[in-house]
Amino acid sequence: MDSSGCDWLNSWTKNFAALGISHLRSPMFFHPCPRDRDGLLAFARETGRCDDCIEIANCVGKSMSKHRRKKKTAKGYSVGSSSKAILEIDERDRKDYFTPSAEIFQDYCEEVVQRYSLANLVEQSQVSSIDFGYYDDFDLYGIADPGTKIFKVITTNGAIKFAKIVVLAIGAGGKPAMPRQLSAAEKDGACHSTQLPKQMFLAEHVTDRILARVPTAVVIIGGGLTSAQIANQCIVNGVRRVFLVMRGALKLKPFDIDLDWMAKYQNARNGGSITPRYFKKLQTHIARGSLSMHTHTTIKNQVWDNQRRSWDMETDPPIPNLPSRIDYIYYATGIQPNIHDLPFLSPLREKAPIEVIRGMPCLTQELAWAKDVPLFVAGRLAGLRIGPDCGNLEGARVGAERISWAVEEILEREQQRNRDEADDSYRRLCQRVGSVNMYESLVGESD
């Protein structure tokens, strides 16, 4: 069930199209195929599209000799698992550190869908309630035996579905992290980046000014890759001046998590960052005077003028030559995962309370709500169990593996229980018709 559409990767496709993203950020070995780590790389070679993949520079180097390791250790750098650990990725792994184009990745995912017969499984619907309990008053033949707890899922159009197992894989699982809430009128002059796939990239009044050759100015708030992508799209679409404002320092990283986390499973996400490849694009725009970046800067005051269709804005510290009229504001400030922001889980939280830390539920090792509540959670809401990569492709694969193993175990236990019950029923039937010795079960028991 997916509210965005009835196809796989529907939301992903819309997001990439809205932001004009040509290549993924993740390396080639991050993909959804469960069978082959190098499946995406092999697919690119088979289809003759290796040239569409871009090398992630400065990631892989030659292995460090023992002599160099000793010298680094002598200078105070630890080769172990401390915060100053030296990252070692062998030169033989260079082929893995390429990033695929969005087109190759999508085609490979479609091939995986066909391989595992996953087509036509996605239903476009939005869930309004998930409950867990006994529903013997409903006809559950073929779903669950009487007296068994199951899930009752209700959609916004009133449809009711019952399930023994539910998997919650909704990505970030929270509301957009906005520095301030926008009024109804202000929404004409600003939006969060998550809204872009649902609307025109440029607001109508901004487009009109561009077509009329009126100078336009846009402010983008945020320091991650999405803010860089929005800045690039704005300039490509004709915005005259773009101001990229971030409250912290600019961070340049090839991945959204540290490379040593992916190689050795340590360290942390440590906030938003921009890839070196996109930073080169921004530098080109800066050199041409269409973009300026302002680190350690915040919005001090902003007032929307509904008649002029523009903002009056003050920053701290003040931005030199900031236009008196800002046409639009984009908030690329991410999403804060919070289980309390999901009202459809309210019935479940009332019946099966769960400990929550900073908005994230304390799941079991198998990513279940509880041992006796088989609602499994993937994505960023599973961050306490998966780690900082919970929101990217590798975290999705780790979560899928844990959940699939747990589901398989549940189904095997149920099948074994059904077999045992069938054997008992058959034995009792035989005893009634006299085809077996009714005292056979007493053999071996003491008097």
Side-chain angles (χ1 to χ4, degrees):
M1 301 171 71
D2 187 351
S3 62
S4 65
C6 57
D7 299 314
W8 293 103
L9 299 180
N10 190 77
S11 180
W12 180 89
T13 302
K14 291 179 179 178
N15 284 324
F16 269 56
L19 296 175
I21 303 173
S22 62
H23 286 74
L24 278 70
R25 186 175 194 173
S26 301
M28 298 290 285
F29 50 85
F30 285 1
H31 56 76
C33 181
R35 186 183 66 180
D36 186 3
R37 178 183 183 272
D38 296 323
L40 181 55
L41 177 63
F43 180 79
R45 289 179 174 176
E46 289 171 4
T47 56
R49 297 153 79 182
C50 287
D51 291 342
D52 293 341
C53 302
I54 297 177
E55 183 177 4
I56 307 172
N58 302 319
C59 273
V60 182
K62 295 181 179 178
S63 298
M64 186 178 296
S65 66
K66 291 182 179 180
H67 176 67
R68 287 187 62 198
R69 284 167 60 89
K70 290 179 180 179
K71 288 184 66 177
K72 287 283 187 181
T73 304
K75 291 181 179 180
Y77 293 96
S78 171
V79 186
S81 58
S82 72
S83 60
K84 294 183 179 180
I86 298 172
L87 173 64
E88 289 186 275
I89 299 178
D90 196 274
E91 183 70 20
R92 292 171 298 177
D93 292 331
R94 177 177 290 279
K95 67 181 186 301
D96 291 326
Y97 286 89
F98 282 74
T99 179
S101 69
E103 185 178 355
I104 291 177
F105 184 82
Q106 188 167 17
D107 290 347
Y108 179 64
C109 289
E110 290 178 2
E111 194 269 339
V112 172
V113 167
Q114 297 300 322
R115 183 193 309 170
Y116 293 99
S117 303
L118 302 177
N120 304 319
L121 293 183
V122 182
E123 172 189 311
Q124 184 173 10
S125 56
Q126 186 171 353
V127 174
S128 61
S129 172
I130 297 179
D131 204 350
F132 187 63
Y134 300 101
Y135 300 101
D136 294 341
D137 51 333
F138 287 86
D139 182 12
L140 302 178
Y141 179 76
I143 300 178
D145 297 328
T148 302
K149 276 189 172 184
I150 62 171
F151 291 99
K152 180 182 179 182
V153 181
I154 304 177
T155 65
T156 52
N157 61 8
I160 299 177
K161 299 180 183 292
F162 293 95
K164 297 177 184 177
I165 299 169
V166 171
V167 177
L168 193 65
I170 57 173
K175 295 179 180 179
M178 297 283 286
R180 62 187 291 273
Q181 294 302 312
L182 300 174
S183 66
E186 289 175 336
K187 290 181 181 179
D188 290 338
C191 76
H192 191 271
S193 58
T194 54
Q195 292 297 117
L196 290 176
K198 306 171 186 176
Q199 64 184 46
M200 297 295 293
F201 183 84
L202 293 179
E204 185 177 355
H205 68 276
V206 178
T207 300
D208 291 342
R209 288 168 186 168
I210 292 173
L211 294 175
R213 299 185 180 277
V214 175
T216 49
V218 161
V219 168
I220 302 168
I221 301 173
L225 181 57
T226 300
S227 66
Q229 291 163 342
I230 293 175
N232 182 67
Q233 281 293 91
C234 284
I235 295 170
V236 168
N237 282 279
V239 175
R240 182 77 59 86
R241 296 287 308 278
V242 175
F243 298 85
L244 185 54
V245 177
M246 58 191 77
R247 63 182 178 181
L250 173 66
K251 300 174 185 176
L252 296 181
K253 292 161 56 177
F255 309 111
D256 57 344
I257 57 175
D258 288 338
L259 187 58
D260 48 352
W261 172 273
M262 292 194 291
K264 297 183 177 180
Y265 296 94
Q266 17 180 354
N267 221 323
R269 184 181 176 90
N270 195 27
S273 60
I274 297 174
T275 62
R277 187 171 71 88
Y278 250 97
F279 184 62
K280 287 183 179 180
K281 293 185 179 183
L282 299 187
Q283 285 179 311
T284 301
H285 297 315
I286 292 172
R288 293 174 178 172
S290 53
L291 172 68
S292 61
M293 300 179 62
H294 306 275
T295 60
H296 304 287
T297 303
T298 58
I299 306 300
K300 184 178 180 181
N301 186 41
Q302 60 188 89
V303 178
W304 171 250
D305 189 325
N306 204 34
Q307 291 185 339
R308 292 197 312 162
R309 313 288 287 173
S310 62
W311 295 90
D312 293 321
M313 181 178 294
E314 295 180 60
T315 62
D316 182 24
I319 295 176
N321 302 319
L322 182 69
S324 59
R325 186 177 75 179
I326 300 297
D327 298 287
Y328 205 81
I329 300 175
Y330 293 94
Y331 290 94
T333 46
I335 297 177
Q336 185 63 39
N338 193 334
I339 200 77
H340 298 299
D341 289 339
L342 306 177
F344 61 85
L345 287 177
S346 296
L348 180 63
R349 293 204 309 268
E350 291 177 5
K351 290 186 178 179
I354 189 171
E355 183 181 359
V356 177
I357 298 177
R358 294 187 178 181
M360 292 185 286
C362 297
L363 307 169
T364 68
Q365 287 286 358
E366 295 76 21
L367 307 184
W369 191 269
K371 288 186 177 180
D372 56 349
V373 182
L375 180 137
F376 296 91
V377 181
R380 291 184 63 188
L381 286 173
L384 295 179
R385 286 296 185 190
I386 295 179
D389 61 344
C390 58
N392 65 21
L393 284 169
E394 180 62 9
R397 174 159 50 187
V398 171
E401 288 177 350
R402 291 199 198 182
I403 293 171
S404 60
W405 293 335
V407 169
E408 184 179 13
E409 186 176 341
I410 291 173
L411 296 179
E412 287 178 351
R413 286 201 305 264
E414 181 178 326
Q415 291 174 358
Q416 184 61 48
R417 185 170 60 249
N418 292 338
R419 285 194 293 267
D420 293 342
E421 291 176 354
D423 291 343
D424 291 341
S425 298
Y426 177 75
R427 190 180 298 107
R428 288 194 296 269
L429 176 62
C430 291
Q431 290 174 351
R432 283 200 298 270
V433 300
S435 62
V436 297
N437 185 347
M438 63 185 301
Y439 299 107
E440 189 178 59
S441 60
L442 300 178
V443 174
E445 294 188 6
S446 61
D447 296 334

